[in-house]
Amino acid sequence: MTIRTNDPVGRHLDLARAIKEEFEGKAMPAEAAHQMQQHLAAAMGRSAETDLDGGLSFGGGGVSRKTAAFLEYVRKGDRIAPERKADLVEDDTGEVLIPQDYAGTILKELAHEGVVRGRAFVKPTTKPKVDVGAVNIGTPAWGKLEIQDPATPGAGLGDPPADPKQTITVHDLTALVKIGLDELEDSDDSLEGIVREGLAAEFAAVEDDAFGAGTGDGDEQPVGIASRITGVTDGPTATITQTIASTAAGSLFADDVKRLPYRVSARMRRNGMYLVSPDAAEAVALLTDADGHYLLQPNPAAGEPPTIGGYPVETLESLPAMSVESGSGSGAGTNPSMVFGDLKSGYMIADRQRLRVQRLVELFAAEGKIGLLVTMRVGGDVIRPKAFSALLL
């Protein structure tokens, strides 16, 4: 390849490319890798790994050019080099958008950190509202299908659409990550991991709270599963009606737990799981059957949650605590502290996948830290109530 000689920056970039092409498809010696990094550092005026065109990455595990520019913004704020600032994208409010390739890794990490997100149906969107019923498939029927007047019930494909139409509103979710000044001096790869893992942990906890018991648009948050269950009076209209009421408030019985999956259809049951409140989780861990065997069994798969009857059991912190037992001990349970269901079929998460960030310096200067106020836009709601059942405790 031709090496530019009258352009110092271009010369270093050409030399770096030449080294990369020489070792394409084979192991690069450490000395050659070091030389390539020196040429990149000379060209870009910095020591971090980068890429030259937004897609061609140099060095093992290097970050993209746009992500490198974003990480320099995290370190320096408005003091970022002019050539880097051109790679930053701002929204209409002047806040910096996290590059798509990096934002995607944060959202991917969320699925591992959170209980609901990794199992629910996640729909990317660019709109503030998502139409749940954008595709409406009628119930199949034997015989010749008659397409009747859409206003006539029971007409197969002519079934009238739900009224009112269900939509999911996307709301702002904001998290604060504080980073020590020493950490800002780390390599791009290290800083990228610190920011990603910090955000994933913060967002996952708040998301799960809302997906479990959020009260909807009035409080600018998703609608949680518990808010769609009969007996919850402080949420939106209850739509999940497959419930079992414990015969004694605050008391958990093995037979009730084992009956719960059979309140949903066999199709939903196949991919079902139990979600339990923290106090119900403790009660479940101590629950035994008539033979004295514990219902909760360890999962033989590494890193997977324990099971009851083969169904995974996860604690969802925001589910309501079990009711306090009445003085007589005869009051029935009313709180949906245990839910069974198929999250993939029954719960939708709507993501507007552009994360924006505001850098805060003075507020945390006394701590020797800078703050990143990161906002994502997310919504959620139950889309198939028949996919869930609840044990009222």
Side-chain angles (χ1 to χ4, degrees):
M1 64 179 294
T2 302
I3 305 297
R4 287 170 282 185
T5 58
N6 59 346
D7 177 3
V9 172
R11 179 174 178 273
H12 284 294
L13 293 180
D14 290 342
L15 289 169
R17 281 196 177 100
I19 295 171
K20 185 174 189 298
E21 289 175 3
E22 180 182 354
F23 295 97
E24 194 73 39
K26 54 185 177 181
M28 182 182 294
E31 183 179 355
H34 179 66
Q35 289 176 352
M36 186 179 70
Q37 292 302 324
Q38 285 184 318
H39 287 305
L40 288 173
M44 300 300 185
R46 63 198 305 273
S47 60
E49 295 174 342
T50 186
D51 74 21
L52 305 179
D53 59 4
L56 179 62
S57 182
F58 287 94
V63 300
S64 75
R65 188 186 71 220
K66 293 182 182 298
T67 297
F70 167 72
L71 295 174
E72 185 166 337
Y73 167 77
V74 170
R75 290 187 176 95
K76 301 179 180 179
D78 292 336
R79 296 181 291 108
I80 185 173
E83 63 270 20
R84 289 293 193 195
K85 193 165 187 178
D87 286 323
L88 294 179
V89 179
E90 296 182 353
D91 64 7
D92 53 7
T93 67
E95 292 186 349
V96 172
L97 295 177
I98 296 179
Q100 286 280 46
D101 59 337
Y102 184 32
T105 67
I106 295 171
L107 293 171
K108 185 176 181 180
E109 190 76 19
L110 275 178
H112 297 292
E113 292 282 347
V115 173
V116 177
R117 176 178 280 274
R119 298 172 174 86
F121 171 48
V122 180
K123 179 180 176 60
T125 182
T126 58
K127 301 176 182 178
K129 283 183 180 287
V130 175
D131 181 2
V132 172
V135 177
N136 186 20
I137 300 176
T139 303
W142 296 108
K144 184 179 179 181
L145 180 65
E146 297 292 340
I147 309 298
Q148 300 177 15
D149 183 342
T152 304
L157 293 178
D159 284 350
D163 187 25
K165 180 172 63 177
Q166 184 183 2
T167 60
I168 295 177
T169 303
V170 179
H171 297 287
D172 284 352
L173 175 60
T174 302
L176 173 65
V177 176
K178 294 190 286 185
I179 305 174
L181 298 180
D182 290 342
E183 281 73 18
L184 293 179
E185 300 303 320
D186 284 344
S187 68
D188 273 9
D189 284 340
S190 297
L191 183 58
E192 181 195 21
I194 290 169
V195 175
R196 180 179 62 248
E197 291 164 15
L199 282 174
E202 294 276 357
F203 278 135
V206 180
E207 275 194 343
D208 270 347
D209 285 348
F211 298 154
T215 50
D217 294 355
D219 293 314
E220 298 185 356
Q221 58 185 251
V223 179
I225 297 169
S227 294
R228 293 294 191 194
I229 298 172
T230 301
V232 176
T233 58
D234 58 349
T237 304
T239 54
I240 297 173
T241 57
Q242 301 81 239
T243 61
I244 299 172
S246 175
T247 54
S251 298
L252 196 61
F253 299 98
D255 284 352
D256 289 340
V257 174
K258 290 189 287 186
R259 288 165 57 201
L260 200 56
Y262 298 94
R263 291 298 182 271
V264 302
S265 70
R267 182 167 65 89
M268 302 296 181
R269 200 181 311 145
R270 282 196 296 268
N271 297 313
M273 66 179 300
Y274 289 95
L275 300 171
V276 295
S277 66
D279 60 342
E282 180 181 353
V284 166
L286 301 175
L287 200 62
T288 58
D289 60 19
D291 297 321
H293 300 131
Y294 286 105
L295 259 65
L296 193 67
Q297 295 294 315
N299 197 321
E304 293 299 315
T307 63
I308 294 177
Y311 298 113
V313 181
E314 289 274 19
T315 301
L316 195 54
E317 302 283 343
S318 58
L319 288 181
M322 296 188 294
S323 306
V324 177
E325 188 173 359
S326 64
S328 64
S330 59
T334 57
N335 290 346
S337 306
M338 176 177 280
V339 174
F340 180 88
D342 179 354
L343 286 168
K344 181 69 73 175
S345 297
Y347 196 87
M348 179 189 286
I349 297 171
D351 270 337
R352 291 192 73 175
Q353 298 184 327
R354 296 307 304 266
L355 280 66
R356 61 184 191 269
V357 63
Q358 181 180 358
R359 190 173 182 271
L360 308 175
V361 181
E362 291 83 0
L363 193 59
F364 305 108
E367 301 179 32
K369 299 176 180 177
I370 64 109
L372 297 178
L373 201 61
V374 183
T375 302
M376 65 182 292
R377 306 204 70 196
V378 63
D381 201 350
V382 171
I383 57 173
R384 289 188 179 90
K386 295 295 185 183
F388 296 99
S389 58
L391 181 55
L392 306 180
L393 295 165

